[in-house]
Amino acid sequence: MRLQGKAAIVVGAGQSPGDTIGNGRATAILFAREGASLLLVDRDAASAAETRDMIVSEGGKAEVFQADITSEDDVQRIPAACLDAFGRIDILQNNVGIGTGDQSAAQVTRENWDRIFDTNLTGMMLTCQAIIPAMREQESGSIINISSVASIASTPMAAYKTSKAGVNALTQHLAMANAAYGVRVNAILPGLMDTPMAIGGFAARRGTEQEQVRSERNARVPLRKQMGTGWDTAYASLFLASEEAQFITGVLLPVDGGQSIRVG
Ligand SMILES: NC(=O)c1ccc[n+]([C@@H]2O[C@H](COP(=O)([O-])OP(=O)(O)OC[C@H]3O[C@@H](n4cnc5c(N)ncnc54)[C@H](O)[C@@H]3O)[C@@H](O)[C@H]2O)c1
């Protein structure tokens, strides 16, 4: 019960449809198992409700709040929803991230560039901006931003890479700006994960079978030639959310089976 008595918000707590578990859903379930009460934020309320049902069926506590993080009005309502439900806000995991429509800088359309930036970077900035005042008031809080190894590795996806690099910089900025208030801000950089968004998304884009995408991605991972899962992101998030990480802020933590240290 490492999060006993804490209230946590997971933004992007639903997931893309598929058989495996997404990063946000796994994190929400694990946080609840460790004693936290969860506000499950997603633009897809039905998917967040599936996460809630999983948590409640295990005896945990969770509520759904529908919000699109590209809408300032929606985001402004998130802190009140958590304070009304649980009386405090201790943890925020920013899990939303998209890459659909992305291409190289030579090819990507302005529309897709803007949509990806609005979601991956500006939306995350807005949720932090909305929720940090409550954490400052409590003089404690832990924010975990989900970036990507793509932010520091080569990838053909220009907007995804650049927006996630912005997430890293935003994390470091927020860590410094809020350190005096006892609010910690860290980022996780997942590598190749076996989540529905990644596998289903790439298979659809390339017109190939999901199993083909899976085996190609597995082969690229140094550690055991095996992708990570949503649970790997969840366990790293649990550590950063817990008091065990009370002296850790501004860290960009790869959770990638060694992918980011392979050079050459
Ligand atoms: N899966 C991977 O291999 C991988 C690798 C590196 C980083 N990541 C990052 O992990 C995070 C989650 O990935 P996942 O595979 O679990 O994705 P996912 O698509 O399963 O989950 C993301 C959730 O965010 C929600 N969402 C999307 N846009 C939203 C918006 N504007 N407002 C509110 N909710 C919105 C979706 O409805 C979905 O439920 C993303 O930030 C992604 O970039 C994933």
Side-chain angles (χ1 to χ4, degrees), residues 79-96:
C82 190
L83 291 168
D84 287 351
F86 310 123
R88 50 189 299 115
I89 309 174
D90 300 294
I91 300 158
L92 165 65
Q93 192 209 48
N94 279 310
N95 176 64
V96 171

Side-chain angles (χ1 to χ4, degrees), residues 129-147:
Q129 204 174 46
I131 289 160
I132 282 173
M135 291 182 165
R136 281 187 172 196
E137 189 134 322
Q138 288 174 193
E139 297 185 340
S140 70
S142 173
I143 298 177
I144 300 128
N145 293 329
I146 303 302
S147 176

Side-chain angles (χ1 to χ4, degrees), residues 9-243:
I9 302 173
V10 174
V11 184
Q15 69 170 54
S16 301
D19 297 335
T20 54
I21 195 156
N23 292 318
R25 176 170 290 171
T27 302
I29 291 172
L30 186 62
F31 282 6
R33 284 179 187 164
E34 294 290 334
S37 302
L38 268 296
L39 188 76
L40 307 169
V41 179
D42 207 291
R43 70 175 173 191
D44 182 345
S47 187
E50 284 176 24
T51 308
R52 178 199 58 209
D53 293 348
M54 291 174 185
I55 290 172
V56 170
S57 72
E58 294 185 359
K61 203 167 167 189
E63 292 196 12
V64 170
F65 186 78
Q66 184 170 24
D68 181 332
I69 60 161
T70 63
S71 155
E72 279 187 70
D73 286 348
D74 281 10
V75 171
Q76 292 295 331
R77 286 195 281 269
I78 297 173
C82 190
L83 291 168
D84 287 351
F86 310 123
R88 50 189 299 115
I89 309 174
D90 300 294
I91 300 158
L92 165 65
Q93 192 209 48
N94 279 310
N95 176 64
V96 171
I98 59 167
T100 308
D102 201 3
Q103 288 174 293
S104 74
Q107 297 165 309
V108 67
T109 63
R110 174 67 192 264
E111 192 188 351
N112 284 336
W113 177 274
D114 285 347
R115 188 174 45 79
I116 291 166
F117 263 75
D118 280 351
T119 306
N120 292 5
L121 184 56
T122 308
M124 190 178 288
M125 191 278 291
L126 292 174
T127 60
C128 291
Q129 204 174 46
I131 289 160
I132 282 173
M135 291 182 165
R136 281 187 172 196
E137 189 134 322
Q138 288 174 193
E139 297 185 340
S140 70
S142 173
I143 298 177
I144 300 128
N145 293 329
I146 303 302
S147 176
S148 171
V149 157
S151 64
I152 55 169
S154 63
T155 161
M157 298 165 73
Y160 186 77
K161 176 184 175 68
T162 315
S163 63
K164 292 293 192 178
V167 166
N168 297 350
L170 176 68
T171 299
Q172 291 172 328
H173 165 77
L174 290 171
M176 201 43 70
N178 292 286
Y181 299 89
V183 179
R184 299 183 295 106
V185 189
N186 295 290
I188 290 174
L189 281 56
L192 295 161
M193 315 305 274
D194 192 347
T195 71
M197 179 189 74
I199 305 302
F202 281 111
R205 209 171 307 164
R206 287 173 31 189
T208 48
E209 293 295 320
Q210 293 201 8
E211 278 317 305
Q212 167 97 13
V213 175
R214 253 192 196 103
S215 66
E216 284 175 17
R217 282 167 66 94
N218 279 336
R220 289 167 56 201
V221 181
L223 188 67
R224 296 186 288 267
K225 298 279 175 219
Q226 187 71 49
M227 280 182 285
T229 72
W231 296 112
D232 294 306
T233 305
Y235 277 104
S237 301
L238 172 61
F239 169 64
L240 291 173
S242 75
E243 295 303 324

